[in-house]
Amino acid sequence: MGGGSSKTPGGSSGDQLYVSLKIENMNVKDALVPHVFGSTPIIGSWDSTRALSMERESALTWELSFVVPPNHGTLVFKFLLKPKDAESPCLVEEGEDRLLTGGKMEDESRSAVFKSPGFGQDELMAYRVFVIVDVISPFDLAASWRAYKENLRPSTVRGIPDISMNAAPEGCQEATRASPSAPKSIPPEELVKNASAAVMELDLERYVVPSPTCASTGVYAANLAETPRSLGFAKCDVFSGSHNSCEVKFLKTDHTASDKAMPAAAGAVAAAAVADQMHGPKEDQCLAIVLVGLPARGKTFTAAKLTRYLRWLGHETKHFNVGKYRRLKHGVNQAAYFFRGDNPEGVEARNEVAALAMEDMLSWMQEGGQVGVFDATNSTKQRRNMIMKLAEGKCKIIFLETICNDESIIERNIRLKIQQSPDYAEETDFEAGLCDFKERLANYGKVYEPVEEGSYVKMIDMVSGNGGQIQVNNISGYLPGRIVFFLVNTHLTPRPILLTRHGESQDNVRGRIGGDSVLSEAGEIYSKQLANFIKKRLKSEKTASIWTSTLQRTILTATPIVGFPKIQWRALEEINSGACDGMTYEEIKRNMPEEYESRLKDKLRYRYPRGESYLDVIQRLEPVIIELERQRAPVVVISHQAVLRALYAYFADRPLKEIPQIEVPLHTIIEIQMGVTGVQEKRYKLID
């Protein structure tokens, strides 16, 4: 079971032997740390208190390396296990002393066996032992020492030095120079060869791979709202004159209403829906969130974000943007005069399209829709009274008013509006468009009346994420309460969220679901590559954090990452496969054929016996989503396939029915960039 030397000892005068002693155990007990003690030249003492600690090389392997002359005397030594708590006794290796002469170990196939009375009277622990020996010259030693001194970086986290080798391996550099169009990821065999480098300088763009969907950056959020049916555009994707219309497909997904007014959900959401349906007034079974606010206050952004959240929870939700109706009915070339309060033709035209949008929303609710988000300025009491009259007896209305007093944010939003809004798609002069929009804004401001009627939520200076306040009036019920809680925690601060599965595990190799296995060799390599990636990608981020589940394969994947706090979430654990835990799908098909067929028919709702469904996973992930929305710094989430499918579906606004099929491959990082322009996705594949 041992390993041989990689080079034959000997060589030119002055050469030295680099000896690497390693032990490996598939069932490592973290409370015990392997050590080595013995004769000169290793340590020169059999005192266990002076034993040399071995360093953890991977999740399974510990290593101690040293340099000796080729003609060294026989090394006599043993392994021992020291408990991390100083009060427990050491465990000394059973059997004869080990002998190493000229780089070769006698009886190297012999395992290191330890008796562990603390874990059971008859329990034995066996470690695989092997030695690797290389011949190195004095010049190699000097170069290694020089590199060590030049690249020594003290760690502020662990309190011990970290070595940062900032140059990529020579072979990789040559390959990159020779072929600029080389594959995006390094082959595993190359990674194995270079895995000992603590940190490699990465060209992150080399690892970029195509995403399954287009990014939404630059897509005007109103174009992603519901397409007007009352104007005869039921099959139209977006208004043809919009900016970036080719990118609209990112969030253009099938969110059709169900046959019944019940959410596709589990847990609290389903229970609350049943209660509302049984005990609430009929009109309260449907909810209209009616936006109120001046232009450039973030109404459409808030509407799109709230729609995405409610859809993800399982509520049939649609976003109705009145501006989209106006452009389709009256065109985009409407000057600021059209929006004056003392222009009766303009007021009538704008009220007409608002009524059309409201009628479409109410018709959709009658077909099974649950929550409509009505996005417009709705800046006067007269307009809001019209909306309440149209909705009377059909749905409950909550006004959501967005107020911003920060001139810098308003100016930024105005400039984004000129760049993205279809209203200015044909305006080639940016300054002219800017002047026109500011005049439109002034016209709205002259007649603006804050909300004081009915049920309402006021978001005052909340968009920056720095303070602000939220006012709530006459709000009750489970869903309105969830909406308020979500709005309290949302903001526009740009930051990346990195999603990745754990490195390949032993159970992945065996094709078994669930479990709590350690990483495979490829998984260990990925953990190091991920640490290198995080170090470069987040090198200027001092407040980033690493989130993992409580299962060891995610914790081990995060272990090489240093410099950032690590937080374990039970909510991030893999879908609970219940009675099927540890089985392969072939075993489930053979032994539990009915369960196997039920899962194939409806993976979203299928619940493993004594386990979970995808809908259950979504419900336990809601606190994670709220916290991700609240965070203002980057977050790295290292989790599991089903969990990451659900999280990704939230950010990409994918329908619930698609979640079980979303592609989340191993050894790939999905970067979600959140900010005022929406959600952008980028993928990096570190290992093929």
Side-chain angles (χ1 to χ4, degrees):
M1 295 181 63
S5 60
S6 58
K7 290 184 181 180
T8 302
S12 61
S13 176
D15 285 351
Q16 301 289 302
L17 295 185
Y18 172 86
V19 181
S20 174
L21 292 176
K22 300 188 180 187
I23 63 173
E24 182 183 78
N25 188 346
M26 297 296 291
N27 298 300
V28 177
K29 298 184 183 296
D30 288 336
L32 299 172
V33 180
H35 285 63
V36 175
F37 66 160
S39 68
T40 306
I42 294 182
I43 185 171
S45 173
W46 291 94
D47 181 356
S48 62
T49 62
R50 297 181 57 193
L52 296 176
S53 173
M54 303 183 76
E55 295 294 328
R56 184 187 286 274
E57 188 178 65
S58 70
L60 309 176
T61 308
W62 296 76
E63 187 259 1
L64 175 70
S65 58
F66 50 89
V67 175
V68 293
N71 58 350
H72 67 84
T74 298
L75 278 62
V76 184
F77 66 95
K78 273 191 173 184
F79 297 101
L80 75 156
L81 301 179
K82 277 191 176 183
K84 289 184 177 179
D85 61 76
E87 298 178 359
S88 302
C90 298
L91 304 180
V92 180
E93 178 187 3
E94 299 291 313
E96 301 291 329
D97 295 343
R98 294 186 178 272
L99 306 177
L100 189 145
T101 305
K104 293 185 178 181
M105 186 164 59
E106 294 183 13
D107 194 17
E108 62 183 22
S109 63
R110 176 165 59 98
S111 297
V113 178
F114 302 87
K115 285 186 179 180
S116 52
F119 298 98
Q121 185 174 359
D122 299 323
E123 184 176 353
L124 298 177
M125 293 183 294
Y127 285 70
R128 176 180 176 232
V129 177
F130 51 104
V131 61
I132 297 175
V133 178
D134 280 312
V135 179
I136 55 175
S137 73
F139 301 100
D140 291 334
L141 280 174
S144 298
W145 178 252
R146 184 167 60 251
Y148 174 92
K149 298 296 288 185
E150 290 174 355
N151 294 283
L152 182 65
R153 297 290 183 271
S155 169
T156 59
V157 177
R158 298 188 300 165
I160 61 175
D162 288 330
I163 305 303
S164 172
M165 304 301 294
N166 292 318
E170 185 177 357
C172 295
Q173 293 175 342
E174 291 174 357
T176 303
R177 289 193 295 266
S179 177
S181 60
K184 298 293 184 181
S185 54
I186 299 176
E189 60 270 17
E190 189 69 20
L191 289 172
V192 172
K193 184 173 66 176
N194 298 308
S196 60
V199 177
M200 293 186 296
E201 187 70 18
L202 298 177
D203 177 8
L204 301 188
E205 295 304 314
R206 290 185 59 221
Y207 298 90
V208 174
V209 293
S211 299
T213 53
C214 300
S216 67
T217 297
V219 178
Y220 189 53
N223 282 338
L224 305 175
E226 179 65 6
T227 300
R229 295 189 290 178
S230 58
L231 296 178
F233 291 92
K235 300 298 182 182
C236 177
D237 283 341
V238 308
F239 173 67
S240 59
S242 67
H243 290 321
N244 302 295
S245 58
C246 64
E247 297 186 58
V248 171
K249 291 183 180 178
F250 178 64
L251 295 181
K252 182 65 175 168
T253 49
D254 179 17
H255 294 286
T256 54
S258 61
D259 295 332
K260 55 184 179 178
M262 282 290 293
V269 172
V274 170
D276 289 345
Q277 196 171 58
M278 293 177 63
H279 305 297
K282 182 179 179 181
E283 60 269 21
D284 284 3
Q285 294 176 16
C286 297
L287 177 63
I289 306 297
V290 178
L291 275 293
V292 177
L294 291 170
R297 264 56 175 185
K299 295 186 304 299
T300 297
F301 176 86
T302 302
K305 203 165 190 177
L306 182 58
T307 299
R308 176 161 52 90
Y309 170 68
L310 294 174
R311 282 174 178 167
W312 183 79
L313 281 181
H315 299 281
E316 290 291 349
T317 307
K318 284 191 174 180
H319 175 196
F320 295 82
N321 180 268
V322 175
K324 189 172 184 177
Y325 281 72
R326 169 179 55 77
R327 285 186 285 274
L328 288 168
K329 186 169 180 63
H330 299 290
V332 298
N333 298 317
Q334 300 296 333
Y337 178 76
F338 180 81
F339 301 93
R340 287 176 65 101
D342 57 359
N343 174 10
E345 292 82 5
V347 171
E348 182 179 356
R350 287 183 281 125
N351 284 338
E352 178 189 16
V353 292
L356 289 172
M358 192 69 185
E359 289 170 2
D360 275 0
M361 185 175 73
L362 294 173
S363 296
W364 168 74
M365 287 179 174
Q366 290 178 348
E367 297 167 3
Q370 296 167 336
V371 184
V373 181
F374 191 80
D375 178 15
T377 55
N378 300 315
S379 54
T380 65
K381 289 183 179 179
Q382 181 183 11
R383 164 71 73 83
R384 297 193 290 271
N385 287 335
M386 179 191 79
I387 291 171
M388 287 191 289
K389 187 173 182 180
L390 288 171
E392 190 174 357
K394 299 176 182 177
C395 71
K396 180 179 181 179
I397 283 183
I398 295 177
F399 292 110
L400 174 55
E401 185 176 12
T402 60
I403 300 171
C404 179
N405 299 306
D406 189 324
E407 292 298 330
S408 64
I409 292 178
I410 295 172
E411 182 67 21
R412 179 195 63 189
N413 290 348
I414 290 173
R415 291 183 173 274
L416 284 172
K417 189 95 170 178
I418 304 305
Q419 294 168 0
Q420 297 182 344
S421 173
D423 286 345
Y424 297 96
E426 299 176 10
E427 178 58 72
T428 57
D429 187 339
F430 180 85
E431 293 301 325
L434 188 64
C435 181
D436 178 83
F437 186 79
K438 287 185 175 181
E439 186 179 348
R440 181 197 301 190
L441 184 55
N443 291 335
Y444 274 111
K446 292 174 183 176
V447 297
Y448 186 80
E449 297 173 290
V451 175
E452 296 176 347
E453 65 273 23
S455 300
Y456 64 78
V457 177
K458 288 177 182 273
M459 297 175 64
I460 304 173
D461 293 327
M462 292 285 291
V463 292
S464 66
N466 298 317
Q469 59 177 298
I470 190 164
Q471 298 178 3
V472 179
N473 181 67
N474 194 26
I475 299 295
S476 62
Y478 176 82
L479 185 55
R482 301 312 301 164
I483 290 172
V484 171
F485 185 63
F486 175 77
L487 294 173
V488 167
N489 287 284
T490 191
H491 56 88
L492 301 181
T493 306
R495 75 277 190 199
I497 294 173
L498 305 179
L499 308 177
T500 184
R501 289 173 66 183
H502 55 80
E504 181 188 65
S505 70
Q506 298 285 359
D507 279 344
N508 289 145
V509 175
R510 303 181 187 108
R512 300 193 178 278
I513 63 175
D516 191 18
S517 63
V518 297
L519 300 180
S520 68
E521 183 178 9
E524 293 177 9
I525 292 170
Y526 177 69
S527 70
K528 296 174 184 178
Q529 286 293 94
L530 177 63
N532 301 341
F533 179 94
I534 297 302
K535 179 176 181 179
K536 179 162 187 178
R537 177 62 185 85
L538 302 181
K539 60 184 177 182
S540 60
E541 302 287 351
K542 304 301 183 185
T543 56
S545 57
I546 314 297
W547 296 3
T548 71
S549 74
T550 61
L551 298 177
Q552 64 175 335
R553 54 189 182 274
T554 64
I555 296 171
L556 292 173
T557 301
T559 297
I561 303 173
V562 296
F564 302 106
K566 296 172 185 174
I567 302 167
Q568 295 177 16
W569 289 69
R570 286 187 61 86
L572 289 175
E573 290 184 5
E574 180 61 294
I575 187 171
N576 184 352
S577 50
C580 299
D581 190 75
M583 300 174 69
T584 67
Y585 287 116
E586 282 300 317
E587 290 171 344
I588 297 173
K589 183 178 182 180
R590 183 172 61 253
N591 301 321
M592 308 170 71
E594 292 183 0
E595 295 295 334
Y596 184 83
E597 292 300 323
S598 297
R599 177 179 174 274
L600 289 182
K601 289 177 183 177
D602 189 352
K603 290 185 178 180
L604 177 68
R605 293 171 177 80
Y606 171 76
R607 180 178 286 119
Y608 286 99
R610 300 191 299 277
E612 288 182 306
S613 68
Y614 270 95
L615 292 179
D616 295 324
V617 171
I618 290 171
Q619 292 310 304
R620 66 167 154 97
L621 284 175
E622 187 189 9
V624 178
I625 288 295
I626 294 295
E627 189 59 29
L628 285 172
E629 287 286 357
R630 195 182 70 84
Q631 292 285 318
R632 296 180 179 86
V635 177
V636 180
V637 180
I638 304 174
S639 190
H640 309 267
Q641 181 169 245
V643 169
L644 294 179
R645 281 172 169 167
L647 292 178
Y648 176 82
Y650 168 76
F651 293 113
D653 196 19
R654 297 281 289 272
L656 294 183
K657 64 182 181 181
E658 294 182 9
I659 289 180
Q661 285 78 40
I662 291 176
E663 183 182 0
V664 185
L666 281 170
H667 304 155
T668 301
I669 300 164
I670 303 174
E671 179 176 328
I672 303 293
Q673 186 70 43
M674 299 178 65
V676 68
T677 57
V679 176
Q680 178 187 9
E681 175 190 349
K682 199 170 189 178
R683 292 196 176 203
Y684 304 87
K685 189 167 184 63
L686 301 190
I687 302 178
D688 284 331

